[in-house]
Protein backbone atom coordinates (compact mmCIF):
# COMPACT_ATOMS: atom_id res chain seq x y z
CA UNK A 1 0.00 0.00 0.00
CA UNK A 2 2.84 2.36 0.91
CA UNK A 3 4.60 1.57 -2.36
CA UNK A 4 1.47 2.33 -4.39
CA UNK A 5 1.09 5.70 -2.69
CA UNK A 6 4.65 6.60 -3.61
CA UNK A 7 4.02 5.67 -7.24
CA UNK A 8 0.82 7.71 -7.23
CA UNK A 9 2.55 10.78 -5.75
CA UNK A 10 5.26 10.56 -8.36
CA UNK A 11 2.76 10.27 -11.21
CA UNK A 12 0.72 13.15 -9.82
CA UNK A 13 3.84 15.31 -9.79
CA UNK A 14 4.57 14.42 -13.41
CA UNK A 15 0.96 15.18 -14.36
CA UNK A 16 1.04 18.60 -12.69
CA UNK A 17 4.28 19.57 -14.40
CA UNK A 18 2.94 18.35 -17.73
CA UNK A 19 -0.16 20.50 -17.30
CA UNK A 20 2.02 23.53 -16.49
CA UNK A 21 4.05 22.92 -19.65
CA UNK A 22 0.91 22.63 -21.77
CA UNK A 23 -0.38 25.92 -20.34
CA UNK A 24 2.94 27.63 -21.10
CA UNK A 25 2.87 26.40 -24.71
CA UNK A 26 -0.71 27.62 -25.12
CA UNK A 27 0.17 31.14 -23.92
CA UNK A 28 0.45 33.59 -26.86
CA UNK A 29 3.39 35.95 -27.07
CA UNK A 30 2.64 39.50 -25.78
CA UNK A 31 2.97 41.00 -29.24
CA UNK A 32 0.66 38.46 -30.86
CA UNK A 33 -1.95 38.91 -28.15
CA UNK A 34 -2.02 42.69 -28.64
CA UNK A 35 -2.23 42.34 -32.43
CA UNK A 36 -5.07 39.86 -32.25
CA UNK A 37 -7.22 41.93 -29.90
CA UNK A 38 -6.62 45.46 -31.24
CA UNK A 39 -9.69 45.67 -33.49
CA UNK A 40 -11.82 48.76 -34.05
CA UNK A 41 -15.30 48.25 -35.43
CA UNK A 42 -17.71 51.09 -36.21
CA UNK A 43 -21.35 50.25 -36.86
CA UNK A 44 -24.16 52.76 -37.41
CA UNK A 45 -27.70 51.54 -36.88
CA UNK A 46 -31.02 53.29 -36.57
CA UNK A 47 -31.98 54.25 -33.02
CA UNK A 48 -35.22 52.96 -31.55
CA UNK A 49 -36.10 56.47 -30.37
CA UNK A 50 -35.25 60.11 -30.94
CA UNK A 51 -31.49 60.76 -30.92
CA UNK A 52 -28.74 62.96 -32.36
CA UNK A 53 -24.96 62.74 -31.97
CA UNK A 54 -21.95 64.46 -33.54
CA UNK A 55 -19.61 62.42 -35.71
CA UNK A 56 -17.31 65.37 -36.40
CA UNK A 57 -15.74 67.49 -35.11
CA UNK A 58 -14.64 65.28 -32.23
CA UNK A 59 -14.85 66.61 -28.71
CA UNK A 60 -11.53 68.17 -27.62
CA UNK A 61 -10.15 68.40 -31.18
CA UNK A 62 -7.59 71.06 -32.18
CA UNK A 63 -8.39 72.16 -35.74
CA UNK A 64 -6.29 74.15 -38.19
CA UNK A 65 -8.67 74.06 -41.14
CA UNK A 66 -11.15 76.99 -40.92
CA UNK A 67 -13.46 75.23 -43.38
CA UNK A 68 -15.04 72.92 -40.79
CA UNK A 69 -17.01 69.88 -41.90
CA UNK A 70 -19.83 69.17 -39.43
CA UNK A 71 -21.39 65.72 -39.42
CA UNK A 72 -24.06 64.23 -37.15
CA UNK A 73 -26.12 61.06 -37.02
CA UNK A 74 -29.81 61.19 -36.13
CA UNK A 75 -32.88 59.03 -35.65
CA UNK A 76 -36.62 59.77 -35.46
CA UNK A 77 -36.04 63.55 -35.73
CA UNK A 78 -38.43 65.95 -37.46
CA UNK A 79 -36.01 68.89 -37.25
CA UNK A 80 -32.37 69.47 -36.26
CA UNK A 81 -30.84 72.85 -35.30
CA UNK A 82 -27.17 73.76 -34.80
CA UNK A 83 -25.68 76.50 -32.60
CA UNK A 84 -22.11 77.78 -32.17
CA UNK A 85 -21.00 79.15 -28.79
CA UNK A 86 -17.93 81.36 -28.33
CA UNK A 87 -16.68 84.42 -26.48
CA UNK A 88 -16.67 87.70 -28.39
CA UNK A 89 -14.08 90.50 -28.20
CA UNK A 90 -15.97 92.09 -25.29
CA UNK A 91 -15.67 88.90 -23.23
CA UNK A 92 -19.35 88.01 -23.62
CA UNK A 93 -20.59 84.49 -24.32
CA UNK A 94 -22.36 84.38 -27.66
CA UNK A 95 -24.66 81.70 -29.06
CA UNK A 96 -25.42 81.94 -32.78
CA UNK A 97 -27.48 79.62 -35.03
CA UNK A 98 -25.31 78.09 -37.76
CA UNK A 99 -27.64 75.63 -39.45
CA UNK A 100 -30.98 73.86 -39.58
CA UNK A 101 -32.09 70.63 -41.21
CA UNK A 102 -35.41 68.85 -41.77
CA UNK A 103 -34.84 65.09 -42.20
CA UNK A 104 -36.87 63.09 -44.70
CA UNK A 105 -35.66 59.69 -43.44
CA UNK A 106 -36.20 58.14 -40.02
CA UNK A 107 -32.46 57.87 -39.46
CA UNK A 108 -29.35 59.01 -41.29
CA UNK A 109 -26.32 61.32 -41.34
CA UNK A 110 -26.42 65.08 -41.94
CA UNK A 111 -23.34 66.98 -43.21
CA UNK A 112 -22.66 70.66 -43.77
CA UNK A 113 -19.68 73.04 -43.76
CA UNK A 114 -19.00 75.91 -41.36
CA UNK A 115 -16.50 78.70 -42.11
CA UNK A 116 -14.68 79.62 -38.88
CA UNK A 117 -12.95 82.66 -40.44
CA UNK A 118 -15.96 84.83 -39.68
CA UNK A 119 -15.25 84.32 -35.99
CA UNK A 120 -11.67 85.61 -36.20
CA UNK A 121 -9.97 86.17 -32.87
CA UNK A 122 -11.73 83.22 -31.22
CA UNK A 123 -9.92 79.98 -30.53
CA UNK A 124 -12.32 78.06 -28.31
CA UNK A 125 -15.71 76.95 -29.58
CA UNK A 126 -18.64 74.82 -28.46
CA UNK A 127 -20.95 73.38 -31.10
CA UNK A 128 -24.42 72.18 -30.09
CA UNK A 129 -27.19 70.38 -31.93
CA UNK A 130 -30.82 69.89 -30.91
CA UNK A 131 -33.08 67.26 -32.45
CA UNK A 132 -36.86 67.66 -32.15
CA UNK A 133 -39.25 64.71 -32.14
CA UNK A 134 -42.80 64.43 -33.48
CA UNK A 135 -44.26 64.57 -29.97
CA UNK A 136 -42.29 67.67 -28.93
CA UNK A 137 -39.47 65.93 -27.09
CA UNK A 138 -35.86 66.99 -27.67
CA UNK A 139 -32.37 65.48 -27.68
CA UNK A 140 -29.10 67.47 -27.60
CA UNK A 141 -25.41 66.82 -28.19
CA UNK A 142 -22.46 69.19 -27.71
CA UNK A 143 -18.76 69.10 -28.61
CA UNK A 144 -15.98 71.53 -27.69
CA UNK A 145 -13.03 72.20 -29.99
CA UNK A 146 -10.28 74.71 -30.69
CA UNK A 147 -9.41 76.41 -33.95
CA UNK A 148 -5.82 77.52 -34.36
CA UNK A 149 -3.85 78.85 -37.31
CA UNK A 150 -1.09 76.45 -36.27
CA UNK A 151 -0.86 73.39 -34.04
CA UNK A 152 2.71 72.27 -33.27
CA UNK A 153 4.17 69.44 -31.16
CA UNK A 154 7.65 68.15 -30.30
CA UNK A 155 8.49 64.83 -31.99
CA UNK A 156 11.90 63.94 -30.47
CA UNK A 157 15.25 63.81 -32.29
CA UNK A 158 16.34 62.23 -35.55
CA UNK A 159 19.43 60.06 -36.07
CA UNK A 160 21.74 63.10 -36.26
CA UNK A 161 20.54 64.42 -32.93
CA UNK A 162 18.39 67.20 -34.39
CA UNK A 163 15.03 67.89 -32.67
CA UNK A 164 11.93 67.74 -34.85
CA UNK A 165 8.71 69.74 -34.59
CA UNK A 166 5.55 68.48 -36.27
CA UNK A 167 3.25 71.32 -37.33
CA UNK A 168 -0.13 71.59 -38.97
CA UNK A 169 -1.12 74.99 -40.37
CA UNK A 170 -4.22 76.52 -41.90
CA UNK A 171 -4.54 77.58 -45.52
CA UNK A 172 -4.14 81.22 -44.41
CA UNK A 173 -0.48 80.66 -43.50
CA UNK A 174 1.97 81.72 -46.22
CA UNK A 175 5.23 81.67 -44.23
CA UNK A 176 6.54 80.48 -40.86
CA UNK A 177 9.57 81.89 -39.02
CA UNK A 178 11.20 79.56 -36.46
CA UNK A 179 13.67 80.39 -33.70
CA UNK A 180 14.73 78.40 -30.61
CA UNK A 181 15.68 79.92 -27.26
CA UNK A 182 17.47 78.41 -24.27
CA UNK A 183 16.20 78.73 -20.70
CA UNK A 184 17.97 82.11 -20.39
CA UNK A 185 16.23 83.50 -23.48
CA UNK A 186 19.28 83.37 -25.77
CA UNK A 187 18.57 82.56 -29.45
CA UNK A 188 20.13 79.32 -30.68
CA UNK A 189 20.24 80.06 -34.40
CA UNK A 190 22.64 83.02 -34.33
CA UNK A 191 26.17 83.74 -35.51
CA UNK A 192 29.20 84.72 -33.41
CA UNK A 193 28.17 88.37 -33.53
CA UNK A 194 24.74 87.60 -32.10
CA UNK A 195 22.88 88.16 -35.36
CA UNK A 196 19.90 85.80 -35.51
CA UNK A 197 19.37 83.44 -38.45
CA UNK A 198 15.90 81.96 -37.90
CA UNK A 199 14.54 79.19 -40.09
CA UNK A 200 12.12 80.46 -42.75
CA UNK A 201 9.52 77.97 -43.94
CA UNK A 202 7.62 78.94 -47.11
CA UNK A 203 4.25 77.65 -48.27
CA UNK A 204 5.74 75.39 -50.94
CA UNK A 205 7.56 73.48 -48.19
CA UNK A 206 4.23 72.56 -46.58
CA UNK A 207 2.20 69.68 -48.03
CA UNK A 208 -1.32 70.06 -49.40
CA UNK A 209 -2.85 68.96 -46.09
CA UNK A 210 -1.03 71.72 -44.21
CA UNK A 211 1.37 69.33 -42.44
CA UNK A 212 5.13 69.70 -42.18
CA UNK A 213 7.95 68.13 -40.15
CA UNK A 214 10.49 70.79 -39.15
CA UNK A 215 14.04 69.68 -38.33
CA UNK A 216 15.96 72.03 -36.02
CA UNK A 217 19.73 72.00 -36.86
CA UNK A 218 21.04 71.50 -33.31
CA UNK A 219 23.96 69.33 -34.44
CA UNK A 220 25.16 72.08 -36.82
CA UNK A 221 25.13 74.65 -34.00
CA UNK A 222 26.60 72.27 -31.41
CA UNK A 223 23.69 72.68 -29.02
CA UNK A 224 24.05 71.05 -25.60
CA UNK A 225 21.30 69.01 -23.90
CA UNK A 226 18.87 71.08 -21.86
CA UNK A 227 15.49 72.80 -21.85
CA UNK A 228 14.52 74.86 -24.90
CA UNK A 229 11.56 76.78 -26.33
CA UNK A 230 10.71 76.89 -30.03
CA UNK A 231 8.83 80.00 -31.19
CA UNK A 232 6.94 79.67 -34.48
CA UNK A 233 5.56 82.89 -36.00
CA UNK A 234 3.03 82.51 -38.82
CA UNK A 235 2.50 85.15 -41.53
CA UNK A 236 -0.23 85.54 -44.13
CA UNK A 237 0.29 86.41 -47.81
CA UNK A 238 0.50 90.12 -46.90
CA UNK A 239 3.31 89.45 -44.41
CA UNK A 240 1.07 90.10 -41.42
CA UNK A 241 1.60 88.07 -38.24
CA UNK A 242 -1.48 85.91 -37.71
CA UNK A 243 -0.22 83.45 -35.11
CA UNK A 244 2.58 82.87 -32.58
CA UNK A 245 3.07 79.37 -31.18
CA UNK A 246 5.58 78.09 -28.63
CA UNK A 247 6.74 74.52 -28.04
CA UNK A 248 8.79 73.66 -24.94
CA UNK A 249 10.94 70.53 -24.91
CA UNK A 250 13.85 68.89 -23.12
CA UNK A 251 16.65 68.17 -25.59
CA UNK A 252 18.40 64.83 -25.09
CA UNK A 253 21.17 63.56 -27.35
CA UNK A 254 20.40 60.36 -29.30
CA UNK A 255 21.82 57.16 -27.89
CA UNK A 256 21.08 58.06 -24.26
CA UNK A 257 20.03 54.74 -22.70
CA UNK A 258 16.52 54.48 -21.31
CA UNK A 259 15.84 52.99 -17.90
CA UNK A 260 14.78 49.38 -18.55
CA UNK A 261 11.23 48.51 -17.66
CA UNK A 262 11.10 44.88 -16.62
CA UNK A 263 7.54 45.07 -15.36
CA UNK A 264 6.03 43.20 -12.43
CA UNK A 265 3.69 40.66 -13.94
CA UNK A 266 4.48 38.15 -16.67
CA UNK A 267 2.24 40.01 -19.13
CA UNK A 268 4.49 43.09 -18.84
CA UNK A 269 7.78 41.27 -19.42
CA UNK A 270 9.54 41.14 -22.76
CA UNK A 271 9.33 37.34 -22.93
CA UNK A 272 8.70 35.56 -26.22
CA UNK A 273 6.65 32.41 -26.74
CA UNK A 274 9.89 30.45 -27.18
CA UNK A 275 11.00 31.65 -23.73
CA UNK A 276 7.77 30.34 -22.22
CA UNK A 277 8.25 26.91 -23.82
CA UNK A 278 11.95 26.68 -22.98
CA UNK A 279 11.30 27.62 -19.34
CA UNK A 280 8.54 25.03 -19.15
CA UNK A 281 10.77 22.31 -20.61
CA UNK A 282 13.55 23.06 -18.14
CA UNK A 283 11.14 22.98 -15.21
CA UNK A 284 9.51 19.80 -16.51
CA UNK A 285 12.86 18.04 -16.97
CA UNK A 286 14.07 19.01 -13.52
CA UNK A 287 10.93 17.93 -11.68
CA UNK A 288 10.46 14.79 -13.79
CA UNK A 289 14.07 13.74 -13.18
CA UNK A 290 13.68 14.22 -9.46
CA UNK A 291 10.41 12.26 -9.43
CA UNK A 292 11.93 9.33 -11.34
CA UNK A 293 14.96 9.33 -9.03
CA UNK A 294 12.76 9.18 -5.93
CA UNK A 295 10.61 6.38 -7.36
CA UNK A 296 13.66 4.28 -8.29
CA UNK A 297 15.22 4.92 -4.91
CA UNK A 298 12.04 3.86 -3.09
CA UNK A 299 11.80 0.73 -5.26
CA UNK A 300 15.35 -0.33 -4.31
CA UNK A 301 14.63 0.44 -0.71
CA UNK A 302 11.45 -1.71 -0.65
CA UNK A 303 13.13 -4.84 -2.09
Amino acid sequence: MQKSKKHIFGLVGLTVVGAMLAAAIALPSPGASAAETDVNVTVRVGEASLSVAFISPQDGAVLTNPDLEVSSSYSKATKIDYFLNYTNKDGQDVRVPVGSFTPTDEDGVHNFRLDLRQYAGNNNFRLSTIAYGATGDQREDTVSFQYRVMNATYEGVDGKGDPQIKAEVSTDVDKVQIQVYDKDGNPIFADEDGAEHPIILTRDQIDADGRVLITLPFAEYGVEPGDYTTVLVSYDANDNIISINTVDFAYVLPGTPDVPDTGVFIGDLNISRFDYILTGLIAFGAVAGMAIYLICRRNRHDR
Side-chain angles (χ1 to χ4, degrees):
M1 182 66 180
Q2 192 69 19
K3 182 177 180 180
S4 298
K5 287 183 178 180
K6 294 171 183 176
H7 281 293
I8 291 172
F9 289 147
L11 292 175
V12 168
L14 290 175
T15 302
V16 171
V17 175
M20 292 172 60
L21 176 61
I25 293 174
L27 282 173
S29 64
S33 176
E36 291 169 0
T37 59
D38 188 13
V39 178
N40 293 321
V41 178
T42 301
V43 179
R44 185 182 66 83
V45 297
E47 296 285 346
S49 59
L50 175 66
S51 67
V52 65
F54 280 112
I55 300 174
S56 66
Q58 295 184 350
D59 190 48
V62 179
L63 310 175
T64 57
N65 186 355
D67 188 17
L68 175 63
E69 181 177 358
V70 179
S71 179
S72 65
S73 63
Y74 63 88
S75 181
K76 305 296 188 296
T78 59
K79 183 183 178 184
I80 301 174
D81 288 333
Y82 297 90
F83 301 91
L84 187 67
N85 300 267
Y86 64 94
T87 303
N88 64 17
K89 61 182 180 180
D90 297 324
Q92 299 174 330
D93 292 333
V94 179
R95 177 182 173 94
V96 294
V98 292
S100 186
F101 172 63
T102 301
T104 56
D105 299 321
E106 283 198 349
D107 61 273
V109 173
H110 177 228
N111 305 297
F112 70 98
R113 307 197 79 86
L114 177 62
D115 186 4
L116 297 176
R117 292 184 184 88
Q118 58 188 307
Y119 309 103
N122 295 280
N123 294 326
N124 302 309
F125 295 94
R126 193 170 69 255
L127 184 64
S128 301
T129 180
I130 301 176
Y132 305 90
T135 59
D137 51 338
Q138 300 179 8
R139 295 292 183 273
E140 183 173 351
D141 191 26
T142 301
V143 292
S144 297
F145 64 91
Q146 298 180 25
Y147 166 65
R148 299 184 180 279
V149 172
M150 170 184 286
N151 184 34
T153 57
Y154 176 61
E155 293 295 299
V157 298
D158 64 8
K160 294 172 54 180
D162 288 332
Q164 294 184 312
I165 302 293
K166 183 174 69 175
E168 186 173 355
V169 302
S170 76
T171 54
D172 296 330
V173 175
D174 187 67
K175 179 180 68 175
V176 180
Q177 178 179 291
I178 304 146
Q179 179 60 279
V180 180
Y181 299 88
D182 63 18
K183 62 182 180 180
D184 297 321
N186 301 311
I188 298 302
F189 306 141
D191 58 26
E192 296 179 353
D193 298 326
E196 294 191 36
H197 299 281
I199 298 172
I200 302 298
L201 190 69
T202 57
R203 188 70 206 188
D204 58 2
Q205 295 174 281
I206 303 171
D207 67 21
D209 294 327
R211 298 185 179 92
V212 62
L213 185 63
I214 305 165
T215 300
L216 307 175
F218 272 33
E220 177 184 341
Y221 283 85
V223 180
E224 297 294 328
D227 296 327
Y228 295 90
T229 298
T230 303
V231 178
L232 305 99
V233 182
S234 302
Y235 296 82
D236 63 15
N238 297 318
D239 213 30
N240 298 313
I241 296 177
I242 55 176
S243 174
I244 299 177
N245 290 72
T246 61
V247 179
D248 297 325
F249 65 92
Y251 174 54
V252 179
L253 292 174
T256 302
D258 294 329
V259 177
D261 181 10
T262 57
V264 177
F265 301 101
I266 291 296
D268 295 327
L269 297 176
N270 294 322
I271 299 178
S272 67
R273 180 174 179 145
F274 175 76
D275 294 328
Y276 283 121
I277 296 174
L278 181 60
T279 303
L281 287 173
I282 293 173
F284 177 77
V287 177
M290 180 61 69
I292 293 172
Y293 168 74
L294 292 174
I295 292 173
C296 293
R297 182 179 177 184
R298 294 293 185 185
N299 286 339
R300 287 197 303 270
H301 206 45
D302 293 339
R303 288 176 182 173

